[in-house]
Amino acid sequence: MNTTEVERAAYLQDAQKKALHLFEEIEQKLIRPGISEKELSNAIHKLGQERHGVRTHWHKRVVRSGPNTLLPFEENPPDRVLEEDDIIYVDLGPVFEAWEADFARTFVLGDDPEKKRLRDALAPVWKTVRDRYHENPDMTGERLYAIACEEARKAGWEFGASLAGHLVGLFPHERIPRDKTTLYITEGNDLSMSTPGKDGNKRHWILEIHLRNADNTYGGFYEQLLTVG
């Protein structure tokens, strides 16, 4: 697919807009006490296929609740049933017309004020980190990871993951087998984030914010496009 940079950015933004609409329906129709994480994941898959034209995901569907929200992406914890006063995040990588989205949001059931406070802190921290990135888009992935950790602490939380983002693009996006550093926003990535991809095109990045509470009993997750929009 030969596309200009403006077209590539527009395709990615359109994929994210479609993901947002999918998440709105997930929140309105599917998330409820008594449903298990696996049942919710299956219902999301069905909803995506039937109403949003999603035929594939570029990474596994991740639905985590309660203490499972603390676990890294690679883990596959035992299924857990959502409770009355629970915290849940959903992380999806749907592909829309060959373009990848990567989108995560956190939801709270019930009225627990601390869980709501964490949920409500995610977007502001994300926006602050985004703004600091745009002050110097040539910074390294390691530097932006440090900024994400710093802003999480400033907001009164701990950063809850070993990375704060990664590449995204035309499915399947650029990968280096067994390399968990170069194409990620993480410690050890000393490459400028403005380094072109191997195809010569501008690389586009997803920014992830992972927050966890001081007692380390639950966390929240928020991610979306950093370099478009």
Side-chain angles (χ1 to χ4, degrees):
M1 181 183 294
N2 294 319
T3 55
T4 67
E5 179 50 43
V6 171
E7 289 172 328
R8 291 175 70 244
Y11 285 131
L12 286 169
Q13 194 162 25
D14 183 63
Q16 177 163 285
K17 182 178 179 181
K18 291 173 179 175
L20 175 60
H21 292 157
L22 171 59
F23 269 69
E24 288 172 347
E25 279 209 76
I26 291 170
E27 181 176 19
Q28 293 166 3
K29 297 181 178 180
L30 301 181
I31 295 177
R32 63 187 185 276
I35 190 172
S36 76
E37 293 168 340
K38 184 175 180 180
E39 289 170 338
L40 179 54
S41 178
N42 290 339
I44 288 169
H45 178 63
K46 182 178 180 181
L47 178 69
Q49 279 193 325
E50 294 180 351
R51 290 187 48 80
H52 297 270
V54 178
R55 296 292 175 261
T56 189
H57 291 252
W58 70 266
H59 70 66
K60 68 180 182 180
R61 298 185 306 278
V62 180
V63 177
R64 300 272 172 82
S65 63
N68 288 349
T69 57
L70 298 170
L71 299 174
F73 175 87
E74 293 81 8
E75 294 284 339
N76 294 295
D79 196 18
R80 181 179 181 277
V81 175
L82 275 60
E83 299 177 354
E84 293 289 340
D85 284 302
D86 224 335
I87 187 165
I88 307 101
Y89 77 70
V90 177
D91 173 17
L92 302 180
V95 177
F96 295 98
E97 299 173 6
W99 291 89
E100 299 169 345
D102 200 8
F103 205 75
R105 290 292 187 267
T106 296
F107 310 95
V108 172
L109 295 172
D111 297 311
D112 187 302
E114 283 302 296
K115 289 173 181 172
K116 287 185 174 182
R117 192 169 72 86
L118 187 147
R119 177 200 63 193
D120 294 345
L122 288 159
V125 172
W126 189 96
K127 290 173 183 176
T128 300
V129 176
R130 174 202 60 191
D131 292 347
R132 291 188 63 180
Y133 162 79
H134 283 296
E135 291 173 2
N136 177 22
D138 294 328
M139 72 172 64
T140 66
E142 182 173 63
R143 176 59 185 146
L144 189 58
Y145 179 75
I147 288 171
C149 294
E150 177 186 328
E151 293 300 336
R153 288 191 295 270
K154 284 183 181 178
W157 309 96
E158 292 298 321
F159 197 82
S162 62
L163 59 86
H166 53 80
L167 292 186
V168 71
L170 182 66
F171 177 75
H173 69 253
E174 181 181 351
R175 289 176 173 83
I176 301 176
R178 295 177 297 280
D179 184 342
K180 290 295 185 181
T181 302
T182 307
L183 306 182
Y184 295 82
I185 301 169
T186 190
E187 288 184 349
N189 184 2
D190 59 0
L191 292 179
S192 167
M193 292 178 65
S194 62
T195 302
K198 61 184 179 181
D199 58 5
N201 290 324
K202 176 181 177 179
R203 284 173 170 162
H204 285 289
W205 294 86
I206 291 287
L207 174 61
E208 303 182 2
I209 296 298
H210 302 257
L211 301 180
R212 57 178 60 192
N213 68 336
D215 295 334
N216 206 33
T217 52
Y218 56 81
F221 182 23
Y222 185 103
E223 71 171 339
Q224 61 187 44
L225 279 165
L226 171 64
T227 47
V228 178

